[in-house]
Amino acid sequence: MAMGWDGMGGSLNSKTIQGIMLPLNMPSIFKTVFDTSAFFLGAVPKAQLNDRFLKLIGNEKPNSVFLIPILFRGKVVNILYGDNGHESNAPTNISDLLILAPKVPLAFEGLIMRKKQHTTQGD
């Protein structure tokens, strides 16, 4: 299950995004990125879950979007989604984001280690 975490832009807010849940066992761009661990850049294909997602984020259809998987220990743990709004194209040069994405798990690992240390020290 993919669950919304945070979002901004247009009419989006964290509360709206946190209410989104999409199954990863049905066709969608999120399932494709999850299954392949590869980024997606392009037009949103017609699929029930893709349409539902777009409706939940404001019922506006961008011309193109990007999704970038964030992998931790070889598994997709987050998917970064972006677009440029209704009837706009996502940026085609996402190379900086693709370079940054593999560094995000290092931050996760640091947070996990701090949490473990804090828990151990609190016992």
Side-chain angles (χ1 to χ4, degrees):
M1 185 69 66
M3 298 176 286
W5 183 25
D6 200 358
M8 67 175 87
S11 61
L12 287 181
N13 60 53
S14 294
K15 186 175 180 179
T16 300
I17 297 300
Q18 290 171 359
I20 296 175
M21 295 178 69
L22 300 172
L24 292 172
N25 62 352
M26 295 176 61
S28 73
I29 51 178
F30 292 93
K31 178 180 179 7
T32 299
V33 171
F34 182 79
D35 289 349
T36 64
S37 299
F39 76 91
F40 175 92
L41 176 62
V44 177
K46 189 80 173 145
Q48 181 183 359
L49 283 181
N50 293 342
D51 294 343
R52 180 173 151 217
F53 172 74
L54 292 174
K55 185 175 182 178
L56 290 169
I57 64 167
N59 209 24
E60 296 182 346
K61 186 168 182 180
N63 290 336
S64 64
V65 302
F66 68 81
L67 289 85
I68 299 173
I70 305 297
L71 283 76
F72 183 70
R73 298 186 178 164
K75 296 183 181 184
V76 176
V77 295
N78 296 99
I79 298 174
L80 176 64
Y81 167 90
D83 66 49
N84 267 343
H86 184 61
E87 294 184 354
S88 295
N89 292 314
T92 55
N93 184 2
I94 59 170
S95 59
D96 288 343
L97 292 173
L98 294 173
I99 291 168
L100 177 65
K103 297 178 184 190
V104 173
L106 297 173
F108 286 159
E109 198 151 16
L111 290 170
I112 291 168
M113 295 298 280
R114 280 196 294 271
K115 178 76 171 169
K116 284 182 179 180
Q117 288 174 347
H118 180 70
T119 302
T120 303
Q121 292 172 356
D123 290 340

